[in-house]
């Protein structure tokens, strides 16, 4: 199927098909959290817009044909990739009036994640456009099939704390964060949903855990059980909008979980707000013009 789609839908300088041997390219496999074979990842404008784990010819064909159709329309879908307008980026909660999903502005190359168990997903997993696999239960897949499909969530390692650094490609006005957590029910050893979250804006890098304890958060949030949507496992974190007006980066610190366990699980994260001026990443700026400067 892959070879057939490649032959039919390749578009010079627009749609390119590439194979990676994960046994030889272990660093690439680790970077993108590849835990199942085969895994198909679809990129647009350097962003992951869809991930298909396992041999699913129908889903793969639909995703690639959709991308090719957008390429044929000369990019009329915009720089956001498979954004909200095309309906492919999964959302676990509704959007506030007047705001949109700006998760496509996340600069995935600069993501940093501390205290994550390497046996699960990476920081990029949190921003995947696909619906979490945990929500696919009841649709013809067994538990063993889900296990074979890979672990498309992040789980903490040594304790319940998690530190995530999220840089953006443009300055944003951030209104809300959607956080999705889908630990299995009825399992005493299952990880917890996040409870206390601290958000820091416009930091130059990820914070250390001790450093975060000494810094006042831009906003601290305590999630209650009733804040979680039981169908999607998603909680809406409404931010103090006046404090998140010109945001170039966020640090999201999960302080503790809901319960007495040792681990916390996060499946997806979405950023809701308004995108602004594009940042010129990596550009050197001249500081002084006077002689001797």
């Amino acid at each position: 199927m892959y070879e057939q789609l490649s032959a039919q839908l390749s578009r010079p300088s627009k749609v390119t098909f590439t194979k990676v041997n994960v046994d030889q390219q272990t660093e690439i496999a680790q970077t993108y959290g590849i835990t199942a074979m085969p895994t198909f990842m679809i990129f647009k404008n350097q962003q992951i817009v869809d991930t298909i784990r396992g041999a699913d010819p129908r889903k793969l064909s639909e995703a690639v044909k959709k991308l090719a159709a957008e390429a044929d329309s000369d990019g009329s879908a915009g720089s956001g990739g498979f954004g909200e307008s095309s309906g492919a980026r999964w959302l676990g909660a509704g959007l506030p009036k007047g705001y949109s999903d700006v998760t496509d502005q996340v600069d995935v190359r600069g993501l940093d994640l501390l205290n994550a168990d390497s046996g699960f997903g990476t920081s990029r997993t949190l921003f995947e456009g696909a619906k979490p696999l945990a929500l696919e239960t009841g649709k013809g897949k067994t538990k063993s099939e889900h296990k074979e499909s890979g672990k498309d969530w992040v789980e903490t390692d040594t304790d319940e704390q998690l530190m995530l650094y999220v840089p953006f490609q443009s300055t944003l006005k951030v209104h809300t964060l959607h956080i999705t957590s889908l630990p299995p029910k009825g399992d005493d050893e299952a990880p917890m949903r996040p409870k206390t979250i601290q958000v820091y804006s416009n930091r130059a890098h990820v914070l250390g855990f001790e450093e975060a304890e000494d810094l006042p958060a831009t906003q601290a949030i305590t999630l209650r059980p009733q804040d979680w949507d039981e169908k999607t496992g998603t909680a809406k974190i409404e931010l103090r909008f006046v404090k998140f007006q010109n945001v170039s980066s966020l640090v999201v610190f999960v302080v503790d979980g809901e319960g007495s366990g040792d681990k916390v699980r996060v499946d997806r994260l979405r950023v809701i707000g308004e995108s602004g001026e594009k940042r010129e990443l990596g550009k050197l700026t001249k500081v002084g013009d006077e002689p001797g400067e």
Side-chain angles (χ1 to χ4, degrees):
M1 171 60 74
Y2 177 86
E3 286 75 12
Q4 183 180 355
L5 291 171
S6 175
Q8 292 177 349
L9 300 175
S10 290
R11 303 287 189 272
S13 302
K14 290 185 177 181
V15 180
T16 301
F17 290 76
T18 302
K19 280 186 176 182
V20 176
N21 186 320
V22 296
D23 294 326
Q24 297 177 358
Q25 303 291 338
T26 56
E27 185 176 344
I28 293 176
Q30 184 176 2
T31 298
Y32 290 97
I34 305 300
T35 57
M37 292 294 108
T39 294
F40 302 94
M41 305 188 77
I42 299 176
F43 294 78
K44 186 171 183 181
N45 296 325
Q46 301 179 345
Q47 301 286 318
I48 301 171
V49 295
D50 204 356
T51 300
I52 300 163
R53 293 180 174 85
D56 191 333
R58 179 188 59 80
K59 189 178 289 186
L60 176 63
S61 178
E62 288 177 356
V64 175
K65 286 179 179 178
K66 191 167 194 176
L67 182 67
E70 290 189 3
D72 289 341
S73 65
D74 199 25
S76 61
S79 61
F82 285 175
E84 180 193 0
S85 61
S86 67
R89 184 180 296 280
W90 178 84
L91 290 174
L95 296 173
K97 187 176 181 180
Y99 299 97
S100 60
D101 176 15
V102 292
T103 309
D104 62 347
Q105 293 303 309
V106 172
D107 182 7
V108 295
R109 296 164 297 179
L111 290 170
D112 203 353
L113 184 62
L114 304 182
N115 195 39
D117 189 329
S118 61
F120 298 85
T122 67
S123 56
R124 296 181 183 226
T125 305
L126 300 174
F127 301 99
E128 286 185 3
K131 175 191 281 190
L133 288 173
L135 293 177
E136 296 292 340
T137 52
K139 295 187 177 180
K141 288 189 176 182
T142 64
K143 274 188 174 181
S144 61
E145 286 174 327
H146 277 290
K147 188 174 182 181
E148 290 172 3
S149 296
K151 299 175 180 178
D152 72 329
W153 67 87
V154 166
E155 200 166 301
T156 59
D157 189 9
T158 59
D159 57 27
E160 58 192 322
Q161 295 191 329
L162 194 71
M163 190 76 71
L164 173 67
Y165 175 67
V166 187
F168 299 113
Q169 300 178 62
S170 61
T171 54
L172 304 180
K173 295 181 179 181
V174 183
H175 183 279
T176 307
L177 298 177
H178 290 179
I179 186 167
T180 301
S181 179
L182 295 160
K185 297 179 180 179
D187 184 349
D188 294 337
E189 297 183 359
M192 303 176 290
R193 297 185 298 197
K195 180 182 178 182
T196 306
I197 296 175
Q198 295 181 180
V199 183
Y200 305 80
S201 64
N202 296 332
R203 308 302 302 183
H205 52 75
V206 70
L207 298 176
F209 291 100
E210 292 184 4
E211 183 182 6
E213 291 177 359
D214 296 332
L215 286 174
T218 310
Q219 185 170 340
I221 304 98
T222 300
L223 294 172
R224 305 163 298 171
Q226 59 266 37
D227 293 328
W228 297 92
D229 185 304
E230 288 303 317
K231 291 183 178 180
T232 66
T234 300
K236 292 191 291 186
I237 301 174
E238 295 185 358
L239 301 176
R240 297 189 187 99
F241 198 41
V242 293
K243 292 190 174 184
F244 295 88
Q245 288 292 299
N246 293 288
V247 179
S248 59
S249 69
L250 290 175
V251 173
V252 179
F253 177 24
V254 177
V255 181
D256 55 28
E258 181 187 273
S260 57
D262 298 324
K263 302 292 182 72
V264 162
R265 167 172 167 163
V266 181
D267 291 63
R268 295 290 185 273
L269 190 65
R270 298 288 184 258
V271 183
I272 312 302
E274 299 176 5
S275 58
E277 183 179 352
K278 203 80 170 176
R279 296 175 62 211
E280 296 186 41
L281 303 176
K283 182 178 179 180
L284 297 175
T285 305
K286 189 174 182 180
V287 175
D289 291 321
E290 298 297 324
E293 288 191 293

